[in-house]
Amino acid sequence: MADLITVDDPDDPRLSDYTGLTDVELRRKREPAEGLFIAEGEKVIRRARVAGYEMRSMLLSSKWVDVMRDVIEDVPAPVYAVSPELAERVTGYHVHRGALASMQRKPLPDAETILADARRVAIMESVNDHTNTGAIFRSAAALGMDAVLLSPDCADPLYRRSVKVSMGAVFSVPYARLESWPRGLEAVREAGFKILALTPDEKATTIDDAAPHRLERVALMLGAEGDGLSTKALMAADEWVRIPMAHGVDSLNVGAAAAVAFYAVTSGRPGADR
């Protein structure tokens, strides 16, 4: 059973995992280096544990102690009970969900390991907005994508905002970083995947005509908000595909586009016989 420790000093060194959670640059460098990430909210914390992540500690406002009692009784990590005001002083924002946990990261698998058993893969290039990252992972999990590959400069899927937006779906979909870009796509092609580049370019085949759900193995590339896929990524693809648009709309937010495209890639039926 975890120790329940009441803390009333925002500078208490035991709370260091939770300091400055709004400082993106600090957390981006610190969390991977120290092997931790922050799970926010009861559902996300529980999903992280189910996914096998080890808990380092929890930070709870008083009213959440009873809600998380079963978790407290089941983990050996310390649990810090604090007032909402102190939680805000430590983290830098109002922790309205009232429950945070510092979790230990797992070693990332390499791309080849992930590709071995996958049939439907999403590839993200330079998607460095954490909200979009979380949204894409949530759609990938919901719509039956088997794995996600990231270019070296993509945002960290385990950053607090990504985890929160995904509602913990980042724990459900295996992912890996490609060590080089776009050269790393060679491993995808060698594993038997047809690489489709999602682009609003009028020269692209509509995703309905491309019929990706009929392919044995397909990898769908998504680019960053605004810029889209780079010229190098587009040139490395086997085919360009686009989502047909109406009313003069030229593109969708990458999170929305991902959901539409994943539906087309998987026939929209997770677990269905493709």
Side-chain angles (χ1 to χ4, degrees):
M1 178 176 175
D3 295 326
L4 184 60
I5 304 165
T6 300
V7 178
D8 55 15
D9 179 3
D11 297 320
D12 191 313
R14 292 174 295 182
L15 304 184
S16 63
D17 283 1
Y18 305 97
T19 57
L21 292 183
T22 57
D23 191 331
V24 177
E25 287 302 320
L26 172 64
R27 305 301 300 197
R28 185 179 291 164
K29 294 176 181 177
R30 180 186 167 195
E31 290 186 9
E34 296 184 18
L36 67 95
F37 70 92
I38 300 298
E40 180 177 358
E42 177 192 0
K43 289 182 179 179
V44 173
I45 292 172
R46 293 184 185 280
R47 288 171 182 171
R49 295 193 65 238
V50 169
Y53 288 94
E54 180 182 349
M55 185 180 292
R56 293 161 58 109
S57 67
M58 267 199 301
L59 182 71
L60 304 177
S61 59
S62 300
K63 69 176 183 178
W64 283 89
V65 171
D66 285 340
V67 175
M68 302 298 291
R69 180 67 63 183
D70 59 318
V71 177
I72 294 171
E73 293 177 349
D74 195 44
V75 299
V79 178
Y80 303 112
V82 300
S83 67
E85 294 77 17
L86 188 134
E88 183 170 352
R89 291 178 65 187
V90 171
T91 63
Y93 72 104
H94 178 60
V95 188
H96 68 280
R97 294 181 183 268
L100 296 169
S102 175
M103 311 296 293
Q104 191 70 39
R105 290 175 183 250
K106 301 177 185 178
L108 275 185
D110 57 34
E112 289 76 9
T113 299
I114 279 184
L115 292 170
D117 297 320
R119 295 178 60 194
R120 299 290 183 265
V121 174
I123 304 175
M124 296 160 59
E125 181 195 33
S126 303
V127 179
N128 47 36
D129 179 274
H130 294 97
T131 297
N132 285 334
T133 298
I136 291 169
F137 266 88
R138 187 172 185 178
S139 293
L143 295 168
M145 299 297 284
D146 298 319
V148 175
L149 296 178
L150 309 171
S151 69
D153 56 348
C154 278
D156 178 12
L158 294 184
Y159 181 74
R160 179 184 62 86
R161 182 66 180 167
S162 298
V163 174
K164 181 179 178 181
V165 170
S166 79
M167 289 298 295
V170 293
F171 310 138
S172 305
V173 184
Y175 71 92
R177 285 193 183 273
L178 297 170
E179 295 183 1
S180 60
W181 187 264
R183 188 178 304 155
L185 294 173
E186 295 173 5
V188 181
R189 188 172 285 108
E190 288 172 1
F193 287 82
K194 183 172 183 178
I195 302 175
L196 305 181
L198 190 64
T199 172
D201 196 297
E202 292 184 357
K203 296 190 293 292
T205 306
T206 66
I207 200 161
D208 292 329
D209 290 339
H213 62 288
R214 296 178 181 172
L215 297 173
E216 181 64 24
R217 283 186 156 184
V218 58
L220 180 73
M221 280 199 296
L222 306 161
E225 188 76 20
D227 294 336
L229 290 167
S230 68
T231 300
K232 289 182 177 180
L234 289 169
M235 296 306 295
D238 296 309
E239 186 175 2
W240 296 5
V241 296
R242 61 181 173 86
I243 298 169
M245 302 284 172
H247 302 293
V249 177
D250 60 359
S251 64
L252 295 172
N253 165 275
V254 66
V260 173
F262 293 164
Y263 186 92
V265 165
T266 63
S267 296
R269 294 173 294 141
D273 183 5
R274 304 182 187 118

